[in-house]
Amino acid sequence: MRAVVMGSGSWGTAVAKILVDAGNEVTMWARRPELAEQINTRHENGDYLPGIALPAGLTAVSSVEEALAGRELVVCAVPSQSLRENLTQWREFLPADAVLLSLAKGVEISTGDRMSQVMKEVTGFDDSQIAVLSGPNLAREIAEEQPAATVIACSDEAVAQRIQQAFAASYFRPYTNTDVVGTEIGGAAKNVIALACGMAAGMGFGENTLATLITRGLAETIRLGTALGADITTLAGLAGIGDLVATCSSPLSRNRTFGARLGEGASLEEAQAATNGQVAEGVKSCRSVRNLAREHGVEMPLTEAVYQVCHEGLDVQDMVGMLLGRTTKPEVYGATD
Ligand SMILES: NC(=O)c1ccc[n+]([C@@H]2O[C@H](COP(=O)([O-])OP(=O)(O)OC[C@H]3O[C@@H](n4cnc5c(N)ncnc54)[C@H](O)[C@@H]3O)[C@@H](O)[C@H]2O)c1
Ligand SMILES: O=P(O)(O)OC[C@H](O)CO
């Protein structure tokens, strides 16, 4: 396919590399002309993936118009909270028959919208032109060509299959799914749970705590996802438990690392400053995911606790007491917890 990756952060760059390695004609859009220049001349993105040799066939431009001209697949690789603004700026240059693919894992704060909803609202495109990609995909590991898999979700299975073919590389195995809601909720919720896992690690807790948070994190993700119409099997798959395990366990995760800094006693401002401008989506999405849960009458105690730490000044030590002091329950995946 003739593809463009709009956004040259760590995941956008790794995805552009996959698409080239899978045999597509690919360009990237970078906001800063100097980054586009670096990709074109040094074949490296030193700001986000230093030391990774990018394919010589991968080009980059900083003009939106040039980036989008004649592209069949438009990959949106910007953070969730800026997607609406970016797409609004890109809209006039989007080819009318292009397929949009979101990489972002978050829920918009101002609306509670998932990324596929934002894409549809801004562009007016048909559902068959809107897809999302989500799975256990830490950018650096994939840029190093370590084997991994992902989910390409689109309500139109034939379109999902077309994108699947475009992403099939020797080290990257895409699966299709028509459950867009489940794929998106899995990706957004796991970032919030990864913050909780980081906090636990930062406080010095071990694997029992981690496993408890991952498992109960999955339970509350399933509760929210199914309330929104997701298929539970999506959340039992790569975009659900798969991504939860990868993100909650890896020191490469920005969300887990952010949480760990809080657990070690850093302030929110200090943890934010330490990200070096890279996005830890869960810090914002804990608010929108919590709001969605409340709207739908779904209990998400871990998400609530992370929200209170990130936005209401709850001390991480007090969070432990708050979670363990809740009334005892049977272990069921029902509407309450
Ligand atoms: N990094 C990963 O391992 C990974 C893997 C899977 C999914 N994701 C998701 O992909 C999305 C992008 O993540 P990333 O890792 O590439 O982030 P990043 O922080 O590495 O890069 C974000 C990119 O978006 C650009 N950007 C930031 N604000 C912008 C704005 N207002 N307008 C235009 N561009 C803007 C930045 O310049 C940068 O190029 C996130 O939703 C993230 O959760 C990341
Ligand atoms: O670095 P994080 O925490 O944004 O996570 C990256 C990916 O989403 C893992 O699948």
Side-chain angles (χ1 to χ4, degrees), residues 8 17 33 68 82 88 102 107-108 120 148 165 180 209 279 288 295 298 309 312:
S8 299
K17 178 178 181 312
L68 291 170
S82 73
T88 304
S102 169
V107 172
E108 193 174 56
K120 189 170 174 69
Q165 291 314 309
V180 177
T209 313
V279 68
S288 41
E295 248 172 62
V298 169
V309 169
E312 295 199 338

Side-chain angles (χ1 to χ4, degrees), residues 93-336:
F93 303 115
L94 283 173
D97 55 355
V99 174
L100 301 176
L101 177 73
S102 169
L103 304 183
K105 294 176 175 173
V107 172
E108 193 174 56
I109 295 175
S110 54
T111 59
D113 283 350
R114 293 171 283 102
M115 297 300 102
S116 60
Q117 294 174 304
V118 172
M119 293 192 290
K120 189 170 174 69
E121 284 161 19
V122 175
T123 63
F125 278 16
D126 189 75
D127 286 340
S128 63
Q129 291 176 274
I130 290 175
V132 301
L133 180 153
S134 196
N137 298 154
L138 295 150
R140 181 144 203 113
E141 291 185 6
I142 290 170
E144 289 171 354
E145 305 189 5
Q146 297 183 32
T150 203
V151 175
I152 311 274
C154 179
S155 59
D156 184 326
E157 188 157 18
V159 174
Q161 285 168 349
R162 210 168 137 231
I163 303 173
Q164 177 184 43
Q165 291 314 309
F167 271 90
S170 59
Y171 53 90
F172 197 67
R173 182 168 170 76
Y175 288 82
T176 58
N177 198 326
T178 52
D179 177 14
V180 177
V181 177
T183 305
E184 292 186 295
I185 290 298
K190 67 87 190 177
N191 283 333
V192 181
I193 306 304
L195 282 166
C197 291
M199 290 174 200
M203 283 186 276
F205 302 142
E207 308 310 317
N208 296 332
T209 313
L210 180 75
T212 300
L213 290 170
I214 291 175
T215 311
R216 295 314 299 167
L218 179 64
E220 67 182 55
T221 305
I222 287 174
R223 277 199 297 277
L224 177 63
T226 50
L228 296 174
D231 182 339
I232 193 170
T233 59
T234 303
L235 297 164
L238 291 162
I241 184 67
D243 205 1
L244 259 176
V245 170
T247 312
C248 293
S249 316
S250 174
L252 287 177
S253 158
R254 285 90 44 98
N255 287 286
R256 186 188 193 275
T257 303
F258 194 107
R261 291 198 175 102
L262 297 179
E264 286 158 7
S267 67
L268 199 68
E269 293 69 30
E270 288 165 340
Q272 198 77 61
T275 61
N276 290 325
Q278 294 213 20
V279 68
E281 290 273 21
V283 179
K284 289 187 174 159
S285 280
C286 62
R287 185 191 293 275
S288 41
V289 171
R290 166 194 183 258
N291 291 346
L292 264 187
R294 287 186 160 209
E295 248 172 62
H296 288 82
V298 169
E299 280 193 271
M300 298 190 80
L302 295 176
T303 300
E304 178 66 36
V306 169
Y307 164 77
Q308 290 195 20
V309 169
C310 290
H311 300 290
E312 295 199 338
L314 177 70
D315 190 278
V316 280
Q317 305 287 344
D318 296 338
M319 168 180 166
V320 179
M322 176 179 142
L323 286 167
L324 289 177
R326 295 167 54 254
T327 53
T328 50
K329 314 262 163 54
E331 187 194 34
V332 288
Y333 285 162
T336 58

